[in-house]
Amino acid sequence: MIRNGHGHVLRWWNEIGERGRARLLQQLSSIDFDELDSLSRRYREGKPPVSLEGIEPADVISLPKTKGEISALERIRRIGEEAFRAGEVAAFLVAGGQATRLGIETPKGTFKITPIKKKTIFEHHAEKIRAISKRYGKPFPFYVMTSETNGEPTREFFERHRHFGLNPADVFFFKQDMMPALDLEGRLVLDAKDHIFASPNGHGGSISSLEKSGALADMKARGIKYLSYFQVDNVLIKIGDPIFIGYHIAKGAEMSVKVAPKRDPEEKVGVVCRLGDITTVIEYSDLPKEHKYALNKDGSLRFSAGNLAIHVLSVSFVERLNAEKHSLPFHIAEKAIPFLDDRGELVKPKQKNGLKFERFVFDALSHAQASAIVEVNRDEEFAPIKNADGEDSPETARDLMIRLYAKWLEGAGMQIPHNAGGRVKGLLEISPLFALDADELKRKLSPSFEVRLPLYLGP
Ligand code: UTP
């Protein structure tokens, strides 16, 4: 069962008792040593260069500019809305990650985020889902992928908060798989005398776990055809955007992606490109300088379609990937991994001492027979919370929320006080249950409404 070179995991065999031995054996029996060996080899030999022969920018559906383009959008919106009214759309949240950079011990979704009411990320997402379900008069099922590291706390959090008003029968939790890590010599790592360190296998693990968990079968039984995929940390996400779903359907797409122009050539974001007939995401580190800096005639970046990790996945696509046994590749990252020292005590190192392996959902894009690559306004749809402070932190996300609410209010004819730097002078919060978007807000507010900050608009 154990390969050469991994015998050290039995070091405390005589100490761990029957239960511990059973736990360790069970974990060992699920490990694919061939796969680990080949990943370790790939790390030692270095990643082979990605072939970019024939690389072209992706065919992006740009933001509408002309009147004609704006009115054409209405047709697309109607297509998406029809799918909602037919009950064919579900929300799919991947929330199995470990929030290492944010540095909290609880699931990231339990983080208090909204500017005034300090609602948690989960509550904010749940309010959007309730609002959408109400808008279309149909259940909007919510599938939540967690992992071994945060599955129970996530479920308990929802239960404790009565699913934030969602119908529990329409919320489906499932866990993704775990993947053991290796030390830099390619050996398994113990984080307890009877346990091998493992971490969630990446958001790309969702493709197989959707099937394994029964989520896919549940979707099919409910007549769900399209999944609005989002990540827990993007608090500006437009869950179930009918325009995005509309483009996906109109294009006969299997998987679609929202993109925004890269801010600068070195921005660390994957770029959606075309390689021959295949649309794919090229990681920042795989795009050579000549492409990173290549310009169009108008001076804009040629390879600029930054992946915002917002997708539509057709249920039939997820089904096909599983039926055809496509497993998405593992990406290798050097990370700090907790380990047992010689005395059997747990050490949490600061420096990188091992390798974690993750599958990325965007790798599924290259398997899609068709896709819609839709440009959006980044500031209106993308506010990820990755770090405790600085870039992509709770502070930047709150700031983006306030800016967006101010923009909606201004669109409804209200005056919002700004300081010299352009920041809103005070706090603003609009619950999705009050308005999901600028149009709804405009309809709800009378022109005589006066904004006084701080302002909370809720149900
Ligand atoms: P990130 O890659 O940003 O990871 O995940 P993270 O766990 O949130 O944070 P770090 O890297 O540990 O600091 C992006 C999205 O993918 C989900 C996360 O929960 C988040 O919604 N994810 C990530 C999974 O669902 N499973 C994984 O194995 C990894």
Side-chain angles (χ1 to χ4, degrees), residues 181-237:
L182 295 177
D183 66 18
L184 295 174
E185 277 75 53
R187 304 176 326 151
L188 292 168
V189 179
L190 285 179
D191 61 357
K193 290 179 178 175
D194 61 355
H195 191 262
I196 293 161
F197 176 85
S199 52
N201 66 347
H203 39 64
S206 57
I207 300 295
S208 56
S209 295
L210 276 167
E211 184 181 62
K212 261 208 249 177
S213 64
L216 206 56
D218 185 81
M219 289 165 186
K220 291 191 69 187
R222 290 171 186 258
I224 302 294
K225 292 190 182 160
Y226 311 105
L227 300 182
S228 168
Y229 166 105
F230 65 106
Q231 305 196 331
V232 71
D233 49 28
N234 179 10
V235 289
L236 286 192
I237 181 75

Short mmCIF file of all heavy atoms in Angstrom, two decimals, residues 181-237:
data_model
loop_
_atom_site.label_atom_id
_atom_site.label_comp_id
_atom_site.label_asym_id
_atom_site.label_seq_id
_atom_site.Cartn_x
_atom_site.Cartn_y
_atom_site.Cartn_z
N ALA A 181 -0.45 16.68 0.34
CA ALA A 181 0.67 17.51 -0.09
C ALA A 181 1.95 16.68 -0.02
O ALA A 181 1.94 15.56 0.50
CB ALA A 181 0.77 18.71 0.82
N LEU A 182 3.03 17.21 -0.55
CA LEU A 182 4.34 16.55 -0.45
C LEU A 182 5.36 17.54 0.09
O LEU A 182 5.19 18.76 -0.12
CB LEU A 182 4.80 16.07 -1.84
CG LEU A 182 3.96 14.98 -2.52
CD1 LEU A 182 4.51 14.70 -3.92
CD2 LEU A 182 3.95 13.69 -1.70
N ASP A 183 6.41 17.04 0.74
CA ASP A 183 7.49 17.96 1.08
C ASP A 183 8.34 18.17 -0.18
O ASP A 183 8.06 17.58 -1.24
CB ASP A 183 8.28 17.47 2.31
CG ASP A 183 9.05 16.18 2.04
OD1 ASP A 183 9.27 15.83 0.85
OD2 ASP A 183 9.44 15.50 3.01
N LEU A 184 9.36 19.01 -0.06
CA LEU A 184 10.09 19.37 -1.28
C LEU A 184 10.91 18.19 -1.83
O LEU A 184 11.39 18.23 -2.95
CB LEU A 184 10.97 20.60 -1.05
CG LEU A 184 10.16 21.88 -0.75
CD1 LEU A 184 11.07 23.03 -0.37
CD2 LEU A 184 9.26 22.28 -1.92
N GLU A 185 11.03 17.12 -1.01
CA GLU A 185 11.71 15.91 -1.52
C GLU A 185 10.71 14.92 -2.10
O GLU A 185 11.06 13.80 -2.47
CB GLU A 185 12.48 15.20 -0.39
CG GLU A 185 13.87 15.76 -0.11
CD GLU A 185 13.77 17.08 0.63
OE1 GLU A 185 13.08 17.10 1.67
OE2 GLU A 185 14.33 18.08 0.14
N GLY A 186 9.45 15.29 -2.11
CA GLY A 186 8.45 14.43 -2.74
C GLY A 186 7.84 13.41 -1.80
O GLY A 186 7.32 12.38 -2.23
N ARG A 187 7.93 13.66 -0.47
CA ARG A 187 7.39 12.70 0.49
C ARG A 187 6.13 13.24 1.16
O ARG A 187 6.00 14.44 1.37
CB ARG A 187 8.44 12.40 1.57
CG ARG A 187 9.76 11.90 0.95
CD ARG A 187 10.85 11.67 1.97
NE ARG A 187 10.79 12.62 3.07
CZ ARG A 187 11.22 12.36 4.29
NH1 ARG A 187 11.70 11.17 4.58
NH2 ARG A 187 11.16 13.27 5.24
N LEU A 188 5.23 12.31 1.51
CA LEU A 188 4.01 12.71 2.24
C LEU A 188 4.40 13.39 3.55
O LEU A 188 5.49 13.15 4.08
CB LEU A 188 3.15 11.48 2.53
CG LEU A 188 2.52 10.79 1.32
CD1 LEU A 188 1.96 9.42 1.72
CD2 LEU A 188 1.41 11.66 0.73
N VAL A 189 3.48 14.19 4.08
CA VAL A 189 3.77 14.94 5.31
C VAL A 189 2.72 14.57 6.36
O VAL A 189 1.52 14.60 6.08
CB VAL A 189 3.67 16.46 5.02
CG1 VAL A 189 3.96 17.27 6.28
CG2 VAL A 189 4.62 16.86 3.89
N LEU A 190 3.19 14.24 7.58
CA LEU A 190 2.24 13.98 8.67
C LEU A 190 1.92 15.29 9.39
O LEU A 190 2.83 16.07 9.67
CB LEU A 190 2.86 13.01 9.69
CG LEU A 190 2.95 11.54 9.33
CD1 LEU A 190 3.62 10.78 10.48
CD2 LEU A 190 1.58 10.94 9.05
N ASP A 191 0.62 15.52 9.66
CA ASP A 191 0.29 16.67 10.52
C ASP A 191 -0.30 16.21 11.85
O ASP A 191 -0.70 17.02 12.68
CB ASP A 191 -0.62 17.68 9.81
CG ASP A 191 -1.95 17.09 9.38
OD1 ASP A 191 -2.15 15.88 9.58
OD2 ASP A 191 -2.79 17.84 8.85
N ALA A 192 -0.39 14.90 12.02
CA ALA A 192 -0.70 14.28 13.31
C ALA A 192 -0.07 12.89 13.22
O ALA A 192 0.26 12.43 12.12
CB ALA A 192 -2.21 14.19 13.53
N LYS A 193 0.06 12.24 14.35
CA LYS A 193 0.75 10.94 14.30
C LYS A 193 -0.02 9.93 13.46
O LYS A 193 0.54 8.98 12.96
CB LYS A 193 0.95 10.42 15.73
CG LYS A 193 1.98 11.25 16.48
CD LYS A 193 2.17 10.75 17.90
CE LYS A 193 3.23 11.60 18.58
NZ LYS A 193 3.39 11.26 20.01
N ASP A 194 -1.33 10.17 13.36
CA ASP A 194 -2.16 9.23 12.59
C ASP A 194 -2.84 9.92 11.40
O ASP A 194 -3.90 9.50 10.96
CB ASP A 194 -3.23 8.61 13.50
CG ASP A 194 -4.15 9.67 14.07
OD1 ASP A 194 -3.90 10.87 13.84
OD2 ASP A 194 -5.12 9.30 14.76
N HIS A 195 -2.26 11.03 10.91
CA HIS A 195 -2.93 11.74 9.82
C HIS A 195 -1.93 12.39 8.86
O HIS A 195 -0.98 13.04 9.28
CB HIS A 195 -3.87 12.81 10.39
CG HIS A 195 -4.79 13.39 9.35
ND1 HIS A 195 -4.53 14.58 8.71
CD2 HIS A 195 -5.95 12.90 8.82
CE1 HIS A 195 -5.50 14.81 7.83
NE2 HIS A 195 -6.37 13.81 7.88
N ILE A 196 -2.22 12.19 7.58
CA ILE A 196 -1.36 12.77 6.53
C ILE A 196 -1.96 14.11 6.12
O ILE A 196 -3.17 14.21 5.88
CB ILE A 196 -1.32 11.81 5.32
CG1 ILE A 196 -0.58 10.54 5.71
CG2 ILE A 196 -0.65 12.46 4.10
CD1 ILE A 196 -0.85 9.36 4.80
N PHE A 197 -1.10 15.12 6.03
CA PHE A 197 -1.61 16.45 5.68
C PHE A 197 -2.19 16.42 4.26
O PHE A 197 -1.57 15.93 3.31
CB PHE A 197 -0.48 17.49 5.74
CG PHE A 197 -0.94 18.85 5.30
CD1 PHE A 197 -1.55 19.71 6.19
CD2 PHE A 197 -0.80 19.25 3.97
CE1 PHE A 197 -2.02 20.96 5.78
CE2 PHE A 197 -1.26 20.49 3.54
CZ PHE A 197 -1.87 21.35 4.46
N ALA A 198 -3.39 16.97 4.13
CA ALA A 198 -4.03 17.06 2.82
C ALA A 198 -4.81 18.36 2.78
O ALA A 198 -5.19 18.91 3.83
CB ALA A 198 -4.99 15.88 2.61
N SER A 199 -5.03 18.88 1.59
CA SER A 199 -5.81 20.13 1.48
C SER A 199 -6.81 19.97 0.34
O SER A 199 -6.70 19.05 -0.49
CB SER A 199 -4.87 21.32 1.25
OG SER A 199 -4.02 21.06 0.17
N PRO A 200 -7.82 20.83 0.29
CA PRO A 200 -8.84 20.70 -0.76
C PRO A 200 -8.19 20.74 -2.15
O PRO A 200 -7.20 21.45 -2.36
CB PRO A 200 -9.72 21.93 -0.53
CG PRO A 200 -9.44 22.38 0.87
CD PRO A 200 -8.05 21.97 1.19
N ASN A 201 -8.76 19.98 -3.07
CA ASN A 201 -8.07 19.76 -4.36
C ASN A 201 -8.33 20.85 -5.41
O ASN A 201 -8.21 20.61 -6.61
CB ASN A 201 -8.41 18.37 -4.92
CG ASN A 201 -9.88 18.23 -5.31
OD1 ASN A 201 -10.71 19.07 -4.95
ND2 ASN A 201 -10.20 17.19 -6.05
N GLY A 202 -8.70 22.04 -4.95
CA GLY A 202 -8.85 23.17 -5.88
C GLY A 202 -10.29 23.32 -6.36
O GLY A 202 -11.06 22.34 -6.33
N HIS A 203 -10.64 24.53 -6.80
CA HIS A 203 -12.04 24.71 -7.23
C HIS A 203 -12.37 23.86 -8.46
O HIS A 203 -13.52 23.55 -8.72
CB HIS A 203 -12.42 26.19 -7.44
CG HIS A 203 -11.37 27.05 -8.07
ND1 HIS A 203 -10.93 26.84 -9.34
CD2 HIS A 203 -10.69 28.14 -7.60
CE1 HIS A 203 -10.02 27.76 -9.64
NE2 HIS A 203 -9.85 28.56 -8.61
N GLY A 204 -11.33 23.45 -9.19
CA GLY A 204 -11.57 22.56 -10.33
C GLY A 204 -12.03 21.17 -9.89
O GLY A 204 -12.55 20.39 -10.69
N GLY A 205 -11.82 20.87 -8.58
CA GLY A 205 -12.31 19.60 -8.04
C GLY A 205 -13.83 19.54 -8.10
O GLY A 205 -14.43 18.47 -7.96
N SER A 206 -14.44 20.69 -8.31
CA SER A 206 -15.90 20.75 -8.35
C SER A 206 -16.49 19.89 -9.46
O SER A 206 -17.57 19.31 -9.31
CB SER A 206 -16.38 22.20 -8.52
OG SER A 206 -15.83 22.78 -9.68
N ILE A 207 -15.77 19.79 -10.58
CA ILE A 207 -16.34 19.09 -11.74
C ILE A 207 -16.66 17.64 -11.37
O ILE A 207 -17.76 17.15 -11.63
CB ILE A 207 -15.40 19.18 -12.96
CG1 ILE A 207 -15.16 20.64 -13.37
CG2 ILE A 207 -15.91 18.34 -14.14
CD1 ILE A 207 -16.38 21.40 -13.86
N SER A 208 -15.70 16.96 -10.74
CA SER A 208 -15.99 15.56 -10.39
C SER A 208 -16.87 15.48 -9.14
O SER A 208 -17.73 14.59 -9.05
CB SER A 208 -14.70 14.76 -10.21
OG SER A 208 -13.90 15.39 -9.24
N SER A 209 -16.68 16.42 -8.21
CA SER A 209 -17.47 16.32 -6.96
C SER A 209 -18.94 16.64 -7.19
O SER A 209 -19.80 16.15 -6.46
CB SER A 209 -16.89 17.23 -5.89
OG SER A 209 -15.61 16.77 -5.55
N LEU A 210 -19.24 17.45 -8.19
CA LEU A 210 -20.65 17.70 -8.50
C LEU A 210 -21.34 16.37 -8.82
O LEU A 210 -22.48 16.14 -8.42
CB LEU A 210 -20.77 18.64 -9.71
CG LEU A 210 -20.69 20.14 -9.44
CD1 LEU A 210 -20.50 20.93 -10.73
CD2 LEU A 210 -21.92 20.65 -8.71
N GLU A 211 -20.61 15.51 -9.51
CA GLU A 211 -21.23 14.23 -9.85
C GLU A 211 -21.23 13.27 -8.67
O GLU A 211 -22.28 12.75 -8.27
CB GLU A 211 -20.53 13.58 -11.04
CG GLU A 211 -21.27 12.31 -11.39
CD GLU A 211 -20.67 11.54 -12.53
OE1 GLU A 211 -19.52 11.10 -12.39
OE2 GLU A 211 -21.38 11.38 -13.54
N LYS A 212 -20.04 13.11 -8.07
CA LYS A 212 -19.88 12.14 -6.97
C LYS A 212 -20.85 12.38 -5.83
O LYS A 212 -21.32 11.46 -5.18
CB LYS A 212 -18.46 12.27 -6.41
CG LYS A 212 -17.50 11.25 -6.92
CD LYS A 212 -16.42 11.03 -5.88
CE LYS A 212 -15.11 11.57 -6.36
NZ LYS A 212 -14.04 11.47 -5.40
N SER A 213 -21.10 13.66 -5.56
CA SER A 213 -21.90 14.03 -4.38
C SER A 213 -23.40 13.83 -4.59
O SER A 213 -24.17 13.93 -3.65
CB SER A 213 -21.67 15.50 -4.08
OG SER A 213 -22.15 16.27 -5.17
N GLY A 214 -23.79 13.66 -5.85
CA GLY A 214 -25.23 13.58 -6.13
C GLY A 214 -25.83 14.93 -6.48
O GLY A 214 -27.02 15.03 -6.79
N ALA A 215 -25.01 15.98 -6.45
CA ALA A 215 -25.54 17.32 -6.77
C ALA A 215 -26.04 17.35 -8.21
O ALA A 215 -27.10 17.90 -8.50
CB ALA A 215 -24.46 18.39 -6.55
N LEU A 216 -25.27 16.75 -9.09
CA LEU A 216 -25.64 16.76 -10.51
C LEU A 216 -26.98 16.05 -10.73
O LEU A 216 -27.85 16.54 -11.46
CB LEU A 216 -24.52 16.06 -11.30
CG LEU A 216 -24.32 16.44 -12.75
CD1 LEU A 216 -24.09 17.92 -12.91
CD2 LEU A 216 -23.13 15.67 -13.32
N ALA A 217 -27.15 14.92 -10.05
CA ALA A 217 -28.41 14.17 -10.16
C ALA A 217 -29.56 15.02 -9.63
O ALA A 217 -30.65 15.06 -10.22
CB ALA A 217 -28.31 12.86 -9.40
N ASP A 218 -29.31 15.73 -8.53
CA ASP A 218 -30.34 16.59 -7.96
C ASP A 218 -30.72 17.69 -8.95
O ASP A 218 -31.90 18.00 -9.14
CB ASP A 218 -29.80 17.20 -6.65
CG ASP A 218 -30.84 18.01 -5.92
OD1 ASP A 218 -31.66 17.41 -5.22
OD2 ASP A 218 -30.85 19.25 -6.07
N MET A 219 -29.72 18.25 -9.60
CA MET A 219 -29.98 19.31 -10.59
C MET A 219 -30.84 18.78 -11.72
O MET A 219 -31.79 19.42 -12.18
CB MET A 219 -28.65 19.81 -11.19
CG MET A 219 -27.82 20.61 -10.22
SD MET A 219 -26.13 20.77 -10.83
CE MET A 219 -25.40 21.57 -9.42
N LYS A 220 -30.48 17.59 -12.17
CA LYS A 220 -31.22 17.03 -13.30
C LYS A 220 -32.66 16.75 -12.91
O LYS A 220 -33.59 17.02 -13.67
CB LYS A 220 -30.53 15.76 -13.80
CG LYS A 220 -29.20 16.13 -14.47
CD LYS A 220 -28.60 14.99 -15.21
CE LYS A 220 -29.45 14.69 -16.42
NZ LYS A 220 -29.01 13.48 -17.10
N ALA A 221 -32.83 16.24 -11.69
CA ALA A 221 -34.20 15.95 -11.22
C ALA A 221 -35.02 17.24 -11.15
O ALA A 221 -36.23 17.22 -11.36
CB ALA A 221 -34.14 15.28 -9.85
N ARG A 222 -34.38 18.35 -10.90
CA ARG A 222 -35.10 19.62 -10.79
C ARG A 222 -35.23 20.33 -12.14
O ARG A 222 -35.79 21.42 -12.22
CB ARG A 222 -34.35 20.58 -9.86
CG ARG A 222 -34.36 20.19 -8.40
CD ARG A 222 -33.39 21.10 -7.64
NE ARG A 222 -33.23 20.70 -6.27
CZ ARG A 222 -33.82 21.32 -5.23
NH1 ARG A 222 -34.58 22.35 -5.43
NH2 ARG A 222 -33.61 20.90 -4.01
N GLY A 223 -34.61 19.79 -13.16
CA GLY A 223 -34.68 20.42 -14.48
C GLY A 223 -33.73 21.60 -14.63
O GLY A 223 -33.91 22.47 -15.49
N ILE A 224 -32.67 21.61 -13.80
CA ILE A 224 -31.67 22.70 -13.90
C ILE A 224 -30.76 22.44 -15.11
O ILE A 224 -30.24 21.34 -15.28
CB ILE A 224 -30.79 22.75 -12.63
CG1 ILE A 224 -31.64 22.96 -11.38
CG2 ILE A 224 -29.70 23.81 -12.76
CD1 ILE A 224 -32.33 24.27 -11.29
N LYS A 225 -30.57 23.48 -15.92
CA LYS A 225 -29.70 23.33 -17.09
C LYS A 225 -28.43 24.19 -16.99
O LYS A 225 -27.45 23.92 -17.67
CB LYS A 225 -30.47 23.75 -18.35
CG LYS A 225 -31.58 22.81 -18.71
CD LYS A 225 -32.10 23.17 -20.08
CE LYS A 225 -33.26 22.30 -20.48
NZ LYS A 225 -34.04 22.92 -21.55
N TYR A 226 -28.50 25.27 -16.23
CA TYR A 226 -27.37 26.21 -16.21
C TYR A 226 -26.97 26.54 -14.78
O TYR A 226 -27.83 26.80 -13.93
CB TYR A 226 -27.74 27.51 -16.93
CG TYR A 226 -28.36 27.25 -18.28
CD1 TYR A 226 -29.73 27.40 -18.47
CD2 TYR A 226 -27.58 26.80 -19.34
CE1 TYR A 226 -30.32 27.11 -19.69
CE2 TYR A 226 -28.16 26.50 -20.57
CZ TYR A 226 -29.53 26.65 -20.74
OH TYR A 226 -30.10 26.36 -21.94
N LEU A 227 -25.65 26.57 -14.54
CA LEU A 227 -25.14 26.90 -13.22
C LEU A 227 -24.45 28.24 -13.25
O LEU A 227 -23.54 28.46 -14.07
CB LEU A 227 -24.13 25.85 -12.76
CG LEU A 227 -24.62 24.41 -12.66
CD1 LEU A 227 -23.50 23.50 -12.15
CD2 LEU A 227 -25.82 24.35 -11.73
N SER A 228 -24.88 29.11 -12.36
CA SER A 228 -24.21 30.39 -12.22
C SER A 228 -23.11 30.20 -11.17
O SER A 228 -23.36 30.18 -9.97
CB SER A 228 -25.23 31.43 -11.76
OG SER A 228 -24.60 32.60 -11.35
N TYR A 229 -21.88 29.99 -11.65
CA TYR A 229 -20.73 29.65 -10.79
C TYR A 229 -20.11 30.91 -10.23
O TYR A 229 -19.83 31.86 -10.97
CB TYR A 229 -19.70 28.90 -11.65
CG TYR A 229 -18.33 28.75 -11.02
CD1 TYR A 229 -17.92 27.52 -10.49
CD2 TYR A 229 -17.42 29.81 -10.97
CE1 TYR A 229 -16.65 27.37 -9.92
CE2 TYR A 229 -16.17 29.67 -10.41
CZ TYR A 229 -15.79 28.45 -9.88
OH TYR A 229 -14.54 28.31 -9.32
N PHE A 230 -19.87 30.92 -8.92
CA PHE A 230 -19.13 32.05 -8.34
C PHE A 230 -18.30 31.61 -7.15
O PHE A 230 -18.49 30.52 -6.61
CB PHE A 230 -20.08 33.20 -7.98
CG PHE A 230 -21.07 32.92 -6.88
CD1 PHE A 230 -20.90 33.46 -5.61
CD2 PHE A 230 -22.19 32.11 -7.12
CE1 PHE A 230 -21.83 33.21 -4.60
CE2 PHE A 230 -23.11 31.86 -6.10
CZ PHE A 230 -22.93 32.41 -4.85
N GLN A 231 -17.38 32.49 -6.78
CA GLN A 231 -16.46 32.18 -5.69
C GLN A 231 -16.87 32.98 -4.46
O GLN A 231 -17.35 34.11 -4.59
CB GLN A 231 -15.03 32.51 -6.13
CG GLN A 231 -14.69 31.78 -7.43
CD GLN A 231 -13.22 31.71 -7.74
OE1 GLN A 231 -12.46 32.58 -7.35
NE2 GLN A 231 -12.81 30.68 -8.45
N VAL A 232 -16.66 32.40 -3.31
CA VAL A 232 -17.22 32.99 -2.09
C VAL A 232 -16.71 34.39 -1.83
O VAL A 232 -17.42 35.23 -1.27
CB VAL A 232 -16.96 32.05 -0.87
CG1 VAL A 232 -15.50 32.03 -0.46
CG2 VAL A 232 -17.84 32.43 0.29
N ASP A 233 -15.49 34.67 -2.27
CA ASP A 233 -14.89 35.94 -1.83
C ASP A 233 -15.20 37.13 -2.73
O ASP A 233 -14.75 38.24 -2.46
CB ASP A 233 -13.38 35.78 -1.67
CG ASP A 233 -12.74 35.12 -2.87
OD1 ASP A 233 -13.26 35.25 -3.99
OD2 ASP A 233 -11.72 34.43 -2.68
N ASN A 234 -15.96 36.93 -3.78
CA ASN A 234 -16.31 38.08 -4.63
C ASN A 234 -17.64 38.66 -4.18
O ASN A 234 -18.71 38.18 -4.54
CB ASN A 234 -16.38 37.64 -6.10
CG ASN A 234 -16.75 38.80 -7.00
OD1 ASN A 234 -16.78 39.97 -6.56
ND2 ASN A 234 -17.03 38.51 -8.26
N VAL A 235 -17.56 39.74 -3.41
CA VAL A 235 -18.81 40.26 -2.81
C VAL A 235 -19.62 41.11 -3.78
O VAL A 235 -20.76 41.45 -3.48
CB VAL A 235 -18.54 41.04 -1.50
CG1 VAL A 235 -18.13 40.09 -0.41
CG2 VAL A 235 -17.50 42.13 -1.70
N LEU A 236 -19.06 41.45 -4.93
CA LEU A 236 -19.86 42.20 -5.92
C LEU A 236 -20.48 41.29 -6.97
O LEU A 236 -21.09 41.77 -7.93
CB LEU A 236 -19.00 43.26 -6.63
CG LEU A 236 -18.63 44.53 -5.86
CD1 LEU A 236 -18.05 45.57 -6.82
CD2 LEU A 236 -19.81 45.12 -5.12
N ILE A 237 -20.34 39.99 -6.79
CA ILE A 237 -20.82 39.05 -7.81
C ILE A 237 -22.30 39.30 -8.13
O ILE A 237 -23.12 39.46 -7.24
CB ILE A 237 -20.63 37.58 -7.32
CG1 ILE A 237 -21.11 36.59 -8.38
CG2 ILE A 237 -21.34 37.29 -6.01
CD1 ILE A 237 -20.20 36.46 -9.52
#
